[in-house]
Amino acid sequence: MDQLANEYSAQPLAIVEYGNSYRPASRMAILQDNGGGAAVPEMMIDSSHEWQTGADYPSAKGFIDRSLARPAGANVVAVYERTGNIVKFMVTVTNTSGVTLSKANKAAVHAVIYEDKPGVHKTARIARAGGKVDINLLQNGRTDTYVFTVNVNGMTDWTKAHYIVMVDYKTAPTKKPGKYDQLQAAIAIPGTVTTPTEFKVSPDIFTFSFNDRETEFPADEFTVTLPTDKTWTSSTNVEWLSIEQESGGNGDKI
């Protein structure tokens, strides 16, 4: 661990150690499904994009080098604001992964807060809190902002606190051979966290089916809710879908 920390001291690298009672169950289950377990040394990188049972310096170095060489799958800009033991995050994510991020593939924005603490671990750091918010729907090329709070317990010196955010998703619906993949991470900077403009379409989804004997697609109506001083526009990128109202304001219907 010391050798890795020294070699990559100038790189954007975070090394996280988990104790038995703090293991992320969803990630550890992937290792256990592939012959590992909590009783032996194991390591993973980028939310288990790569993993193996057993840990040694050459393997860990290979993990890190390949991770640093991978293109980012998202652009992440993060701001935090602290009040007492409550930390609020505002994270803007632009999805460049080529994959639609959603609840279906367990996409989420995570935050980890740690403290510099010499003498506690080999990394001289200790995690104090973590939290996340789900990504409901973020298509490739789109940008959205996520606001969530994290309660922190055990911090001894807030001047030595650090704040990291990460975006990941599950690449397959099963644990084996499925795994998670981290798209990008960023260091959150202090600033003012504002709640994004609330925009809702109700219902938020319309599911339909048809057969080759039908000549028309079914229709549905959606109500748009947003601040009264804002307007909206809508468009379609497929020939078979038409929208009767392409712009409007609060309370209008599509």
PDB file of all heavy atoms in Angstrom, residues 14-26:
ATOM      1  N   ALA A  14      -7.505   7.313  -5.622  1.00  0.00           N
ATOM      2  CA  ALA A  14      -8.014   7.085  -4.271  1.00  0.00           C
ATOM      3  C   ALA A  14      -7.946   5.596  -3.974  1.00  0.00           C
ATOM      4  O   ALA A  14      -8.413   4.779  -4.775  1.00  0.00           O
ATOM      5  CB  ALA A  14      -9.454   7.570  -4.134  1.00  0.00           C
ATOM      6  N   ILE A  15      -7.336   5.237  -2.868  1.00  0.00           N
ATOM      7  CA  ILE A  15      -7.258   3.843  -2.441  1.00  0.00           C
ATOM      8  C   ILE A  15      -8.169   3.685  -1.231  1.00  0.00           C
ATOM      9  O   ILE A  15      -8.007   4.357  -0.228  1.00  0.00           O
ATOM     10  CB  ILE A  15      -5.819   3.450  -2.080  1.00  0.00           C
ATOM     11  CG1 ILE A  15      -4.909   3.589  -3.314  1.00  0.00           C
ATOM     12  CG2 ILE A  15      -5.778   2.016  -1.554  1.00  0.00           C
ATOM     13  CD1 ILE A  15      -3.446   3.364  -3.013  1.00  0.00           C
ATOM     14  N   VAL A  16      -9.146   2.792  -1.341  1.00  0.00           N
ATOM     15  CA  VAL A  16     -10.139   2.615  -0.285  1.00  0.00           C
ATOM     16  C   VAL A  16      -9.991   1.218   0.300  1.00  0.00           C
ATOM     17  O   VAL A  16      -9.961   0.221  -0.426  1.00  0.00           O
ATOM     18  CB  VAL A  16     -11.573   2.792  -0.837  1.00  0.00           C
ATOM     19  CG1 VAL A  16     -12.590   2.609   0.280  1.00  0.00           C
ATOM     20  CG2 VAL A  16     -11.723   4.171  -1.484  1.00  0.00           C
ATOM     21  N   GLU A  17      -9.886   1.142   1.626  1.00  0.00           N
ATOM     22  CA  GLU A  17      -9.833  -0.134   2.325  1.00  0.00           C
ATOM     23  C   GLU A  17     -11.153  -0.338   3.073  1.00  0.00           C
ATOM     24  O   GLU A  17     -11.646   0.563   3.741  1.00  0.00           O
ATOM     25  CB  GLU A  17      -8.680  -0.144   3.326  1.00  0.00           C
ATOM     26  CG  GLU A  17      -7.297   0.011   2.707  1.00  0.00           C
ATOM     27  CD  GLU A  17      -6.231   0.128   3.771  1.00  0.00           C
ATOM     28  OE1 GLU A  17      -6.058   1.244   4.304  1.00  0.00           O
ATOM     29  OE2 GLU A  17      -5.600  -0.887   4.087  1.00  0.00           O
ATOM     30  N   TYR A  18     -11.696  -1.552   2.954  1.00  0.00           N
ATOM     31  CA  TYR A  18     -12.953  -1.863   3.635  1.00  0.00           C
ATOM     32  C   TYR A  18     -12.708  -2.862   4.748  1.00  0.00           C
ATOM     33  O   TYR A  18     -12.077  -3.901   4.532  1.00  0.00           O
ATOM     34  CB  TYR A  18     -13.966  -2.480   2.662  1.00  0.00           C
ATOM     35  CG  TYR A  18     -14.538  -1.517   1.664  1.00  0.00           C
ATOM     36  CD1 TYR A  18     -14.167  -1.561   0.331  1.00  0.00           C
ATOM     37  CD2 TYR A  18     -15.474  -0.562   2.047  1.00  0.00           C
ATOM     38  CE1 TYR A  18     -14.703  -0.677  -0.597  1.00  0.00           C
ATOM     39  CE2 TYR A  18     -16.010   0.322   1.142  1.00  0.00           C
ATOM     40  CZ  TYR A  18     -15.625   0.259  -0.179  1.00  0.00           C
ATOM     41  OH  TYR A  18     -16.152   1.118  -1.103  1.00  0.00           O
ATOM     42  N   GLY A  19     -13.256  -2.572   5.926  1.00  0.00           N
ATOM     43  CA  GLY A  19     -13.308  -3.562   6.980  1.00  0.00           C
ATOM     44  C   GLY A  19     -14.491  -4.487   6.746  1.00  0.00           C
ATOM     45  O   GLY A  19     -15.385  -4.208   5.946  1.00  0.00           O
ATOM     46  N   ASN A  20     -14.526  -5.610   7.469  1.00  0.00           N
ATOM     47  CA  ASN A  20     -15.583  -6.603   7.244  1.00  0.00           C
ATOM     48  C   ASN A  20     -16.978  -6.031   7.404  1.00  0.00           C
ATOM     49  O   ASN A  20     -17.892  -6.397   6.681  1.00  0.00           O
ATOM     50  CB  ASN A  20     -15.402  -7.787   8.191  1.00  0.00           C
ATOM     51  CG  ASN A  20     -14.302  -8.733   7.724  1.00  0.00           C
ATOM     52  OD1 ASN A  20     -13.878  -8.654   6.577  1.00  0.00           O
ATOM     53  ND2 ASN A  20     -13.841  -9.599   8.606  1.00  0.00           N
ATOM     54  N   SER A  21     -17.159  -5.146   8.362  1.00  0.00           N
ATOM     55  CA  SER A  21     -18.511  -4.629   8.614  1.00  0.00           C
ATOM     56  C   SER A  21     -18.874  -3.469   7.695  1.00  0.00           C
ATOM     57  O   SER A  21     -19.989  -2.962   7.761  1.00  0.00           O
ATOM     58  CB  SER A  21     -18.627  -4.189  10.074  1.00  0.00           C
ATOM     59  OG  SER A  21     -17.681  -3.168  10.362  1.00  0.00           O
ATOM     60  N   TYR A  22     -17.953  -3.046   6.827  1.00  0.00           N
ATOM     61  CA  TYR A  22     -18.207  -1.900   5.964  1.00  0.00           C
ATOM     62  C   TYR A  22     -18.111  -2.249   4.475  1.00  0.00           C
ATOM     63  O   TYR A  22     -18.039  -1.370   3.646  1.00  0.00           O
ATOM     64  CB  TYR A  22     -17.211  -0.771   6.278  1.00  0.00           C
ATOM     65  CG  TYR A  22     -17.318  -0.275   7.694  1.00  0.00           C
ATOM     66  CD1 TYR A  22     -16.413  -0.681   8.665  1.00  0.00           C
ATOM     67  CD2 TYR A  22     -18.354   0.581   8.069  1.00  0.00           C
ATOM     68  CE1 TYR A  22     -16.520  -0.235   9.965  1.00  0.00           C
ATOM     69  CE2 TYR A  22     -18.463   1.029   9.375  1.00  0.00           C
ATOM     70  CZ  TYR A  22     -17.549   0.624  10.318  1.00  0.00           C
ATOM     71  OH  TYR A  22     -17.654   1.058  11.608  1.00  0.00           O
ATOM     72  N   ARG A  23     -18.092  -3.530   4.159  1.00  0.00           N
ATOM     73  CA  ARG A  23     -17.966  -3.928   2.756  1.00  0.00           C
ATOM     74  C   ARG A  23     -19.239  -3.588   1.991  1.00  0.00           C
ATOM     75  O   ARG A  23     -20.343  -3.838   2.474  1.00  0.00           O
ATOM     76  CB  ARG A  23     -17.697  -5.436   2.653  1.00  0.00           C
ATOM     77  CG  ARG A  23     -16.380  -5.868   3.260  1.00  0.00           C
ATOM     78  CD  ARG A  23     -16.198  -7.376   3.192  1.00  0.00           C
ATOM     79  NE  ARG A  23     -17.143  -8.064   4.069  1.00  0.00           N
ATOM     80  CZ  ARG A  23     -18.091  -8.866   3.637  1.00  0.00           C
ATOM     81  NH1 ARG A  23     -18.256  -9.065   2.349  1.00  0.00           N
ATOM     82  NH2 ARG A  23     -18.894  -9.459   4.487  1.00  0.00           N
ATOM     83  N   PRO A  24     -19.127  -3.055   0.771  1.00  0.00           N
ATOM     84  CA  PRO A  24     -20.318  -2.827  -0.055  1.00  0.00           C
ATOM     85  C   PRO A  24     -20.844  -4.167  -0.561  1.00  0.00           C
ATOM     86  O   PRO A  24     -20.221  -4.826  -1.398  1.00  0.00           O
ATOM     87  CB  PRO A  24     -19.792  -1.956  -1.197  1.00  0.00           C
ATOM     88  CG  PRO A  24     -18.333  -2.286  -1.284  1.00  0.00           C
ATOM     89  CD  PRO A  24     -17.890  -2.615   0.107  1.00  0.00           C
ATOM     90  N   ALA A  25     -21.981  -4.593  -0.035  1.00  0.00           N
ATOM     91  CA  ALA A  25     -22.463  -5.957  -0.280  1.00  0.00           C
ATOM     92  C   ALA A  25     -22.634  -6.257  -1.769  1.00  0.00           C
ATOM     93  O   ALA A  25     -22.309  -7.355  -2.236  1.00  0.00           O
ATOM     94  CB  ALA A  25     -23.782  -6.173   0.458  1.00  0.00           C
ATOM     95  N   SER A  26     -23.146  -5.298  -2.532  1.00  0.00           N
ATOM     96  CA  SER A  26     -23.403  -5.561  -3.948  1.00  0.00           C
ATOM     97  C   SER A  26     -22.112  -5.825  -4.706  1.00  0.00           C
ATOM     98  O   SER A  26     -22.072  -6.628  -5.636  1.00  0.00           O
ATOM     99  CB  SER A  26     -24.148  -4.382  -4.567  1.00  0.00           C
ATOM    100  OG  SER A  26     -23.409  -3.184  -4.401  1.00  0.00           O
TER     101      SER A  26
END
